[in-house]
Amino acid sequence: MIPFLDLKPVNECYRPAIDEAIRRVLDRGWYLLGEEITGFEKAFAEYCGTQYCVGVANGLDALTLIIRAYGLGAGDEILVPANTYIASILAISANGCTPVLVEPDWNTYNIDPEKMEEKITPKTRAILVVHLYGQAVEMAKIWALAKKYDLKIIEDSAQGHGAVYQGRRTGNLGDASGFSFYPGKNLGCLGDGGAVTTNDAALAEKIRALRNYGSHVKYHNQYRGTNSRLDEIQAAVLSVKLPYLDADNQKRREIAQFYRENIRHPEIVLPKTSDELQHVWHLFVVRCARREELQAYLQEKGIGTQIHYPIPPHQQPAYAEWNALSFPITEQIHREVLSLPMSQVLTPSQQEQVVNAINRFV
Ligand SMILES: *Cc1c(COP(=O)(O)O)cnc(C)c1O
């Protein structure tokens, strides 16, 4: 059996160092907002190429707090891809802002810059881009639109740790970026975790307070904040794994290349990318009109797959007011996508089994 994703061997690679990191926290006896988070924030900012990083409790909070710290709320519109994980959209709604959905591009599955300008109104305040499946959004046209209309660019980098566009890493392609360290992400901790990266000192300071009850100084509350901290154990674990992120991403790239060179099936559409983007393959997503049949067939062959995602946000009961809207590209993507096994510990023989099984699908 080849599972879609087996996290145990992923973390087992780092086991001695993780054990040591956890022991260090226990020995110190300091569990929140201590040396570990400070150290990780510094290292992750450096990795992304930004001046600041603020650790928070998860990726959704990272995005929600960015929007909140910019002071956006009711009446403000934020453009967001229609084809994304629901969290990108929930972060907008949670602040009372209006998400304005934009169709993706067929080649990248990321937001289509050509379809954005027509959605901009006098109420538009920001563009939330999502580096979906691990491929950085091609930003040039989005930078130009943001400049023209004076919009903030917020990145959802939860699937894009380490991905590059024009020599810059995600997290440093907009005004502020939200990361998730959910265990299955390319950089994952042993529970929930997240971070905001930015070059905006005032924004970073505000989020530092918002994550901790709105307080910079204990029991002095400047804002009506929340509790969204990255704990010391998770920060210590992330500090162990971060130095290996590029090597892990490189392994994913090699696996993706093997899949792309060897999967040959007239009914299967492979993902498209270019070398300059340095895709980090959080997910390896193929499309097939007979997706359900393909998934059942692979399951029967002992190959686990998943669907990212089965129902588009605008068709979810949580957004009933959008259910009548039509986003044909997004809908077709949701009908056809299937994610193949992908992780840095997938062996060559497992990769071959996946390829052979798919090529024999009838
Ligand atoms: C995982 C994910 C999130 C949310 O991160 P959590 O840490 O689970 O809150 C947000 N956006 C995208 C695109 C994601 O994949």
Side-chain angles (χ1 to χ4, degrees):
M1 177 72 201
I2 303 174
F4 167 70
L5 174 62
D6 187 359
L7 286 173
K8 189 163 182 220
V10 168
N11 286 315
E12 207 57 38
C13 303
Y14 310 107
R15 186 61 183 265
I18 287 176
D19 283 344
E20 168 54 33
I22 293 174
R23 181 164 340 108
R24 192 167 71 226
V25 174
L26 287 176
D27 285 347
R28 196 183 291 123
W30 189 273
Y31 309 105
L32 286 165
L33 301 182
E35 284 173 45
E36 298 294 341
I37 190 174
T38 309
F40 175 70
E41 286 174 342
K42 185 163 178 289
F44 196 63
E46 218 161 87
Y47 178 84
C48 294
T50 57
Q51 281 179 276
Y52 309 101
C53 169
V54 184
V56 296
N58 55 65
L60 174 59
D61 280 1
L63 296 168
T64 306
L65 289 173
I66 291 168
I67 296 167
R68 180 151 175 211
Y70 277 132
L72 302 180
D76 295 328
E77 295 176 357
I78 300 181
L79 303 195
V80 63
N83 181 49
T84 183
Y85 181 54
I86 194 90
S88 323
I89 294 169
L90 290 173
I92 298 172
S93 309
N95 282 288
C97 303
T98 306
V100 176
L101 305 183
V102 182
E103 283 268 56
D105 174 271
W106 266 120
N107 290 313
T108 62
Y109 306 135
N110 277 329
I111 196 164
D112 185 346
E114 305 298 339
K115 301 206 173 102
M116 295 173 74
E117 193 159 11
E118 66 200 56
K119 302 269 187 170
I120 294 174
T121 75
K123 293 180 178 172
T124 311
R125 295 284 171 270
I127 301 169
L128 198 160
V129 296
V130 184
H131 307 297
L132 200 68
Y133 307 149
Q135 176 156 253
V137 172
E138 297 183 59
M139 298 296 294
K141 287 180 184 147
I142 297 173
W143 286 332
L145 278 181
K147 194 159 177 218
K148 182 169 168 192
Y149 294 97
D150 189 23
L151 308 175
K152 295 287 183 204
I153 298 177
I154 301 165
E155 295 172 77
D156 179 342
S157 304
Q159 301 188 1
H161 315 69
V164 169
Y165 174 72
Q166 290 189 358
R168 281 157 66 180
R169 285 201 170 114
T170 62
N172 188 25
L173 295 173
D175 294 288
S177 171
F179 282 91
S180 165
F181 306 120
Y182 176 82
K185 308 293 188 186
N186 288 31
L187 178 62
C189 57
L190 306 181
D192 277 313
V196 173
T197 57
T198 183
N199 291 308
D200 181 336
L203 186 82
E205 270 317 287
K206 189 162 181 186
I207 293 173
R208 245 175 243 294
L210 287 175
R211 74 172 173 189
N212 191 30
Y213 303 107
S215 148
H216 285 295
V217 178
K218 205 166 190 178
Y219 306 135
H220 292 250
N221 301 87
Q222 182 143 6
Y223 313 105
R224 293 176 200 177
T226 186
N227 176 355
S228 181
R229 299 173 298 220
L230 178 66
D231 68 67
E232 289 286 285
I233 287 184
Q234 300 307 339
V237 169
L238 289 165
S239 291
V240 167
K241 294 176 75 175
L242 177 60
Y244 303 98
L245 176 58
D246 283 342
D248 286 345
N249 283 342
Q250 182 55 32
K251 280 189 209 148
R252 288 173 176 270
R253 238 171 252 134
E254 285 159 15
I255 295 165
Q257 186 163 342
F258 181 81
Y259 280 166
R260 291 172 73 221
E261 283 171 0
N262 292 287
I263 295 175
R264 303 218 176 282
H265 195 292
E267 291 178 72
I268 288 172
V269 182
L270 292 168
K272 297 177 187 68
T273 187
S274 72
D275 287 345
E276 89 171 51
L277 287 174
Q278 294 184 37
H279 201 315
V280 294
W281 303 101
H282 172 59
L283 298 169
F284 190 94
V285 177
V286 300
R287 281 191 5 249
C288 178
R290 294 190 289 135
R291 188 255 316 270
E292 265 67 31
E293 275 174 70
L294 177 62
Q295 183 172 40
Y297 160 84
L298 290 172
Q299 186 62 36
E300 200 178 289
K301 299 274 170 213
I303 296 167
T305 57
Q306 280 190 15
I307 296 169
H308 300 93
Y309 298 90
I311 304 168
H314 71 277
Q315 293 182 334
Q316 299 282 0
Y319 286 100
E321 70 272 33
W322 293 340
N323 288 175
L325 300 181
S326 157
F327 292 91
I329 299 174
T330 296
E331 286 157 27
Q332 190 177 338
I333 289 171
H334 280 74
R335 270 198 306 276
E336 296 185 348
V337 286
L338 189 67
S339 304
L340 304 185
M342 169 57 79
S343 88
Q344 59 268 33
V345 298
L346 206 65
T347 65
S349 102
Q350 290 176 318
Q351 296 164 42
E352 262 172 50
Q353 284 178 64
V354 172
V355 166
N356 291 339
I358 291 181
N359 287 347
R360 290 191 195 117
F361 173 58
V362 285

